[in-house]
């Protein structure tokens, strides 16, 4: 007798009002960024309002915060490359096809990503105002001290069976929230600044 295994689908055709759309947006990276940003915000609000589950929610809070930064940096690098006409650095040949490699999945160091952002920003504007980047540089340094590889808030041990956060026993979530709320406006300003420059270039192309 053949047993029949029920197959569960995450897509519910009976109640599509709760179906999230994942493949119809022109810039899905912006949705990824805003999703991790919003998740950080909601989790922090829940913890600070209720003072419950701090010891468990600290991991998704810090992971979401860090990943929001990483994705933001990779998108900022891409925007800088577009503005400086260096998109060729993001291409790779696969078979006979030329593909855009916008985000390198093997680079998870916030420090390295942020340094690339700074190089790109200064190529766009050599006199980059320090007020646009000061808080971001500070939080990158904080995360580098906590989690250089992007793994410490995903797993309790590394591949060598060492505790990933053994020497970082306490993380104050009020301080994390303050950092998050100070960092977000700077990232938003950088995106707004680069996108406005991009619009001006498209509206006034060099002849």
């Amino acid at each position: 007798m053949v047993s029949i295994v029920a197959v569960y689908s995450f897509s519910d055709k009976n109640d599509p009002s709760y179906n999230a759309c994942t493949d119809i947006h022109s810039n899905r990276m912006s949705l990824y960024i805003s999703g991790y940003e919003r998740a950080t915000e909601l989790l922090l609000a829940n913890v600070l309002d209720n003072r419950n589950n701090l010891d468990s929610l600290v991991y998704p809070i810090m992971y979401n915060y860090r990943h929001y930064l990483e994705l933001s940096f990779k998108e900022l690098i891409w925007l800088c490359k577009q503005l400086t006409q260096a998109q060729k650095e993001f291409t790779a040949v696969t078979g006979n096809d030329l593909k855009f490699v916008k985000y390198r999945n093997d680079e998870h160091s916030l420090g390295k990503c942020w340094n690339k952002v700074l190089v790109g920003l200064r190529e766009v504007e050599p006199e980059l105002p320090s007020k646009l980047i000061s808080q971001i540089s500070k939080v990158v340094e904080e995360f580098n001290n906590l989690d250089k590889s992007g793994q410490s808030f995903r797993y309790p041990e590394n591949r060598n069976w060492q505790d990933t956060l053994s020497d970082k026993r306490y993380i104050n979530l009020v301080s994390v929230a303050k950092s998050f709320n100070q960092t977000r406006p700077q990232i938003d300003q950088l995106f707004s600044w680069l996108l406005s420059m991009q619009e001006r270039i498209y509206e006034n192309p060099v002849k």
Side-chain angles (χ1 to χ4, degrees):
M1 184 175 180
V2 179
S3 62
I4 299 175
V5 179
V7 178
Y8 179 78
S9 171
F10 284 120
S11 179
D12 187 353
K13 295 180 180 178
N14 295 320
D15 188 3
S17 62
Y18 284 96
N19 285 349
C21 300
T22 62
D23 63 349
I24 63 172
H25 304 280
S26 59
N27 184 4
R28 284 190 294 167
M29 189 58 155
S30 65
L31 287 178
Y32 275 71
I33 292 170
S34 64
Y36 284 102
E37 178 187 11
R38 182 68 172 145
T40 307
E41 179 184 16
L42 291 174
L43 286 169
L44 279 169
N46 179 274
V47 165
L48 298 183
D49 288 345
N50 303 309
R51 295 196 182 187
N52 292 328
N53 304 309
L54 277 74
D55 293 348
S56 59
L57 289 180
V58 64
Y59 304 112
I61 285 170
M62 298 303 288
Y63 177 80
N64 283 317
Y65 186 5
R66 191 189 188 285
H67 203 56
Y68 154 64
L69 294 172
E70 180 182 328
L71 296 184
S72 295
F73 294 167
K74 290 179 176 179
E75 180 73 346
L76 288 168
I77 293 168
W78 172 241
L79 287 173
C80 289
K81 295 300 181 185
Q82 287 183 301
L83 286 168
T84 57
Q85 302 298 306
Q87 296 99 315
K88 61 185 178 184
E89 295 180 24
F90 282 76
T91 58
V93 176
T94 304
N96 295 321
D97 297 325
L98 188 66
K99 302 287 187 182
F100 279 106
V101 184
K102 293 173 68 173
Y103 317 103
R104 289 196 56 178
N105 293 327
D106 59 345
E107 182 58 84
H108 300 293
S109 166
L110 281 187
K112 290 180 180 178
C113 288
W114 179 236
N115 286 336
K116 290 179 180 179
V117 174
L118 292 176
V119 170
L121 290 172
R122 291 191 171 110
E123 287 177 353
V124 173
E125 176 51 70
E127 302 299 327
L128 183 69
S130 61
K131 64 181 180 180
L132 284 176
I133 60 173
S134 57
Q135 173 59 29
I136 303 174
S137 295
K138 181 179 177 181
V139 78
V140 167
E141 184 178 351
E142 291 267 7
F143 266 110
N144 276 344
N145 290 331
L146 276 173
D147 185 13
K148 285 187 177 180
S149 64
Q151 302 300 313
S152 297
F153 297 104
R154 296 180 66 199
Y155 303 103
E157 298 166 335
N158 61 24
R159 292 180 180 179
N160 297 320
W161 302 106
Q162 298 169 324
D163 291 345
T164 52
L165 292 167
S166 59
D167 57 341
K168 287 89 176 178
R169 192 170 181 181
Y170 301 108
I171 295 175
N172 187 288
L173 293 177
V174 172
S175 296
V176 172
K178 181 179 179 181
S179 165
F180 179 64
N181 290 328
Q182 290 175 338
T183 303
R184 295 165 73 191
Q186 285 200 335
I187 290 179
D188 289 344
Q189 285 178 42
L190 287 177
F191 274 118
S192 296
W193 180 54
L194 291 174
L195 289 170
S196 65
M197 293 185 69
Q198 192 178 61
E199 287 178 6
R200 289 200 297 271
I201 289 174
Y202 288 152
E203 290 172 0
N204 302 285
V206 178
K207 297 180 180 181

